[in-house]
Amino acid sequence: EKCAKIDAIIDQQQDVIEKLKAYKLSTITEAVTKGIDLDVQMKDSGIEYIGEVPKNWQIIKMARIIENTQNGLTRRDLSDSKGEIVLKLKNITANGQIDFTEVNRIELSENEKLQYQLSDNDFLFVRVNGSKSLVGKCAIYQGQNEIIAFNDHIIRVKLSNDCQKKYVHWFLQSESGRRGIELLINTAAGQFTISGQGLREIRITSPPLSEQKNISEYLSNKTIKVESVIERKEILIDNLTKYKKSLIYEVVTGKKEV
């Protein structure tokens, strides 16, 4: 009876988390396709998965803003992990962040460091995976206090200054961005893949630069609040799960009277 009550609360909190995630995604999608000015005049984008956009926006292929693309290091080191951090696809999260909690290290040659060392504002895309939903995940790299490289499951993309990089990142995290990516994913040897050329073909919305900046700031402020609530809910679920386990243990070992 006690466990059933705890499970009901956990289920309720999990349902709230899913609704918050859906709200976050819809907020991002709305901002990068409709803007944040509710009174602006709209036009048909001509792209089914984007829909109507503000009249002064353009729809462009990412080729317009991509300066170059590069696949990562192919070499694997089966010895003890030491040397420089080499990011793998698992280090790029579904939330568009880079997770450094579990990293792989390889001793790189000077030439490999020159080729694969990341720089501020490099875009990192997951290039290949057995799950279609994970291909095309991306994150923006921001400098660390050491050399960071990337392996060949990742494509490094350098964008020009003709775009606000954080805005492009927001668009690619939206429902419209995801659908655009999926249209360009191929299959090979049972794996889903996207190439540098495929990334160039992705169509994105392109507001004036000042508007891209405003939308990016709006979304940063909006989503951080949602993520804060999600985090609190996840902590509550974790605590309830631990309480349930300890309750079961205490009862079945006779440490707690029923």
Side-chain angles (χ1 to χ4, degrees), residues 22-52:
Y23 170 70
K24 175 185 169 184
L25 181 58
S26 67
T27 299
I28 294 169
T29 303
E30 187 79 9
V32 298
T33 57
K34 304 291 182 283
I36 53 179
D37 181 358
L38 300 178
D39 299 321
V40 71
Q41 192 173 354
M42 307 294 285
K43 67 178 180 182
D44 184 6
S45 69
I47 308 294
E48 180 268 330
Y49 58 83
I50 292 178
E52 288 195 328

Side-chain angles (χ1 to χ4, degrees), residues 37-246:
D37 181 358
L38 300 178
D39 299 321
V40 71
Q41 192 173 354
M42 307 294 285
K43 67 178 180 182
D44 184 6
S45 69
I47 308 294
E48 180 268 330
Y49 58 83
I50 292 178
E52 288 195 328
V53 297
K55 195 171 182 179
N56 66 329
W57 288 22
Q58 292 182 303
I59 304 295
I60 64 170
K61 287 185 177 182
M62 280 189 62
R64 285 261 301 270
I65 55 174
I66 289 178
E67 292 185 339
N68 63 66
T69 63
Q70 179 193 10
N71 290 358
L73 178 73
T74 57
R75 182 166 67 86
R76 300 290 188 267
D77 192 339
L78 301 178
S79 62
D80 293 338
S81 182
K82 58 183 179 180
E84 286 70 41
I85 291 174
V86 179
L87 297 178
K88 305 165 75 171
L89 61 86
K90 73 173 184 178
N91 298 116
I92 301 178
T93 72
N95 285 333
Q97 305 296 320
I98 299 176
D99 181 4
F100 287 97
T101 53
E102 290 184 31
V103 294
N104 184 48
R105 291 181 179 271
I106 297 176
E107 291 187 331
L108 302 177
S109 67
E110 290 306 312
N111 185 53
E112 287 172 333
K113 291 175 187 177
L114 286 173
Q115 273 191 281
Y116 302 112
Q117 181 176 351
L118 293 169
S119 303
D120 277 358
N121 294 317
D122 281 351
F123 264 68
L124 300 178
F125 284 83
V126 171
R127 183 181 68 82
V128 57
N129 197 267
S131 171
K132 188 175 183 179
S133 64
L134 298 180
V135 175
K137 279 193 313 175
C138 67
I140 302 177
Y141 174 79
Q142 298 298 332
Q144 302 292 307
N145 293 325
E146 59 180 306
I147 291 172
I148 311 289
F150 62 106
N151 78 5
D152 63 335
H153 287 163
I154 295 171
I155 300 176
R156 185 236 303 267
V157 175
K158 289 189 176 292
L159 298 183
S160 72
N161 291 325
D162 294 334
C163 65
Q164 215 267 345
K165 295 172 180 64
K166 188 61 180 173
Y167 174 83
V168 176
H169 189 233
W170 283 121
F171 181 87
L172 294 169
Q173 290 184 77
S174 72
E175 288 181 279
S176 297
R178 187 65 222 166
R179 288 187 65 187
I181 289 169
E182 288 183 352
L183 288 173
L184 295 158
I185 291 174
N186 296 309
T187 55
Q191 296 282 300
F192 295 97
T193 67
I194 192 165
S195 65
Q197 183 56 41
L199 295 176
R200 286 178 168 85
E201 293 297 317
I202 297 171
R203 294 181 183 273
I204 68 170
T205 55
S206 181
L209 276 173
S210 59
E211 201 168 347
Q212 291 183 31
K213 184 173 184 294
N214 290 339
I215 291 170
S216 294
E217 290 176 353
Y218 166 82
L219 286 174
S220 292
N221 293 331
K222 196 84 170 173
T223 58
I224 199 168
K225 293 174 184 176
V226 178
E227 286 162 1
S228 176
V229 178
I230 290 173
E231 185 179 3
R232 290 200 299 272
K233 298 291 183 186
E234 288 174 337
I235 290 170
L236 175 58
I237 288 172
D238 186 52
N239 288 337
L240 285 167
T241 302
K242 288 176 181 175
Y243 170 63
K244 176 183 168 182
K245 287 179 180 177
S246 68

Side-chain angles (χ1 to χ4, degrees), residues 241-256:
T241 302
K242 288 176 181 175
Y243 170 63
K244 176 183 168 182
K245 287 179 180 177
S246 68
L247 179 65
I248 292 170
Y249 173 77
E250 288 180 352
V251 171
V252 301
T253 56
K255 292 183 172 62
K256 186 179 182 70

